[in-house]
Amino acid sequence: LDIGVVEFASGLDPDNDPDDSGVFGEIRDAEVRYLAYHLKTTLQGTGHWGAVRVIPSREAFTDITISGEIEESDGEFIELEITVHDSAGNRWYQEKYETQTGISSYSTGRDRRQDPYQKVFNDIANDIHAHAQSLSAEETVRIRKISEMQFFADMSPVPYADYLATDEDGITTLMRLPAEGDPSVARLRQIRERDRLVIDT
């Protein structure tokens, strides 16, 4: 399965005053990108997934979407609220992750390859993998097919609109599939690969 990690929500009040909160908006703005990217590299390093990308929003078409909000991050403590959905709209889980960095986390002699918050990223990666392991092979294939059909319907709505049905709870069901020999399928898959390259760039 492919994963898209949405840039995290900052968790800051729009009227944030650094003198009161101790959090500077510019630093938190950098963290929403950095933390998402670091989660991406952690997931990539496990070898359990297909492509793992940082995506601009949940509107991007991917098999699994991870979104998060920074509840706290001050260099010593971090708390993230993570929500995971699949392409069918099923919420896998929503969980809070937190850790406290050690005294040596920022020492000059530390291992700079190891992020002080790495335990949080490892915990998230382990939980997502555990949930994916609980799925049957048929469910995994269905998730991949739904994300592909969502892209097809977005690019070419007239012929592909009725391939999917979404209920009032936002759960998407695969109604049917196009023939593998259909030339439009090959063209749309090529477009999707180019779209992925744009996101990667």
Side-chain angles (χ1 to χ4, degrees):
L1 295 171
D2 294 340
I3 294 182
V5 183
V6 183
E7 287 186 0
F8 291 173
S10 70
L12 279 184
D13 189 287
D15 301 321
N16 173 63
D17 184 348
D19 293 331
D20 292 334
S21 66
V23 179
F24 290 89
E26 296 87 349
I27 294 176
R28 185 57 60 85
D29 287 343
E31 284 185 310
V32 301
R33 294 185 291 274
Y34 170 77
L35 295 175
Y37 181 79
H38 198 73
L39 177 57
K40 170 213 163 187
T41 58
T42 300
L43 290 165
Q44 235 171 5
T46 66
H48 297 316
W49 307 101
V52 185
R53 298 176 171 88
V54 176
I55 56 178
S57 74
R58 282 192 60 196
E59 302 307 311
F61 303 106
T62 189
D63 304 329
I64 307 299
T65 304
I66 303 172
S67 52
E69 181 172 356
I70 303 171
E71 300 280 332
E72 181 180 7
S73 177
D74 60 9
E76 181 181 7
F77 295 95
I78 186 170
E79 182 178 346
L80 303 176
E81 183 172 78
I82 299 296
T83 308
V84 183
H85 289 86
D86 63 28
S87 59
N90 298 302
R91 189 171 80 176
W92 284 15
Y93 70 86
Q94 185 174 46
E95 189 67 58
K96 288 191 177 183
Y97 296 88
E98 58 185 25
T99 194
Q100 180 180 8
T101 60
I103 295 173
S104 62
S105 296
Y106 299 100
S107 67
T108 54
R110 72 184 188 275
D111 182 356
R112 294 177 183 273
R113 296 169 299 177
Q114 188 79 354
D115 189 273
Y117 293 155
Q118 188 62 50
K119 179 184 182 301
V120 164
F121 301 118
N122 291 345
D123 289 346
I124 296 169
N126 289 338
D127 285 353
I128 296 172
H129 180 241
H131 189 97
Q133 289 289 92
S134 71
L135 301 177
S136 67
E138 291 77 12
E139 287 175 302
T140 301
V141 170
R142 181 179 56 82
I143 289 169
R144 289 185 59 82
K145 291 295 184 183
I146 287 175
S147 60
E148 182 176 67
M149 286 301 106
Q150 286 170 335
F151 181 84
F152 287 8
D154 186 67
M155 288 288 102
S156 188
V158 174
Y160 289 103
D162 62 347
Y163 281 63
L164 299 170
T166 303
D167 64 21
E168 58 186 16
D169 295 323
I171 304 300
T172 300
T173 303
L174 188 64
M175 305 304 290
R176 59 196 181 99
L177 289 169
E180 278 298 320
D182 188 334
S184 69
V185 170
R187 285 197 300 271
L188 286 166
R189 284 176 176 163
Q190 290 174 356
I191 293 170
R192 192 180 188 200
E193 285 308 311
R194 290 196 291 270
D195 183 68
R196 288 167 166 170
L197 286 173
V198 170
I199 292 174
D200 290 342
T201 301

